[in-house]
Amino acid sequence: MRHRTLGDLRVSAVGLGAMPLSVEGRPDEARALATVHAALDAGVTLLDTADSYHLPGEEPGHNERLLARALRSYGGDTDAVLIATKGGRGRPTGADWTVNGDPRHLRAAAEGSLRRLGVEAIGLYQLHKPDPAVPFEESVGALRELLDEGKIRLAGVSNVDTGQIRAARAILGDRLVSVQNRYSPAVGDSEPELRLTAALGLAFLPWSPLGGISRSVLDGPGGSSEPAPGEGPFGAFHAVARERGVSPQQVCLAWLLSRSPTLVAIPGASRPETARDSAGAAELELTEKELTMLEAAVRRGRAARAAG
């Protein structure tokens, strides 16, 4: 497993997005735990979660509690494992995902995450999404207070633009270590943020990284699906996969890693074999010819998406 830098830490270049283990279509607990253990066996040291990763109306923290149980029951060394969690969103019954960036809420959310994870300090705590009803600086200020109190060790922001990244950097200094935005072959809206994080030395954690290759629950109805090999604008990923004897998802993750030296991929998984396959992308070196072909496919696919 290759590694990349997150603040002053070394983490696996491919992490595990644990969300699918707790939302719609989630596996039973035995398979969920086996999925996390398979990722750890493959060298994954970054586990991404949030207090809002649960079914609508369910008590917050299902995914955090699950990861805590997975680490306790794992037979190997977990000292190097970093759990990155987030606060500031909710999933009430019968409603869309909500946003709450009030500093009081973020403090209570972080303290709840601390209890559920069973740690003295959260390794990486991220503002899940800016709240339009709360000044961004106030929300980030809550992270600064949590850092100063030692309740969190490192901080990150998610679903932000370049101006918000710079604002967070001004407030948190070098304790801001990561940005988590949506980014994939199909969705390139965060290209400016990707470039800025590389320039600032911040880790970029793309969520829903397999967009265009397969779908997540956040991509809307339909669950997980992928185009038939050779079909659709992203068929080049399938062509490279057939030539290499690997999955299109692994090719996608390797392409993502080529986009920036500070990018850390966090694909979701709900089966052990998927977690192992994703981890293998860290060792897949794409050739210049393959990268050129994939870049052309990405440009075509994004243009088609923009055209509707």
Side-chain angles (χ1 to χ4, degrees), residues 215-234:
R215 299 172 61 183
S216 79
V217 67
L218 289 178
D219 295 318
S224 177
S225 64
E226 61 184 56
E231 295 182 356
F234 302 104

Side-chain angles (χ1 to χ4, degrees), residues 212-213 226-239 242 248 297 300:
I213 311 302
E226 61 184 56
E231 295 182 356
F234 302 104
F237 286 84
H238 295 263
R242 289 196 302 273
R300 290 193 299 271

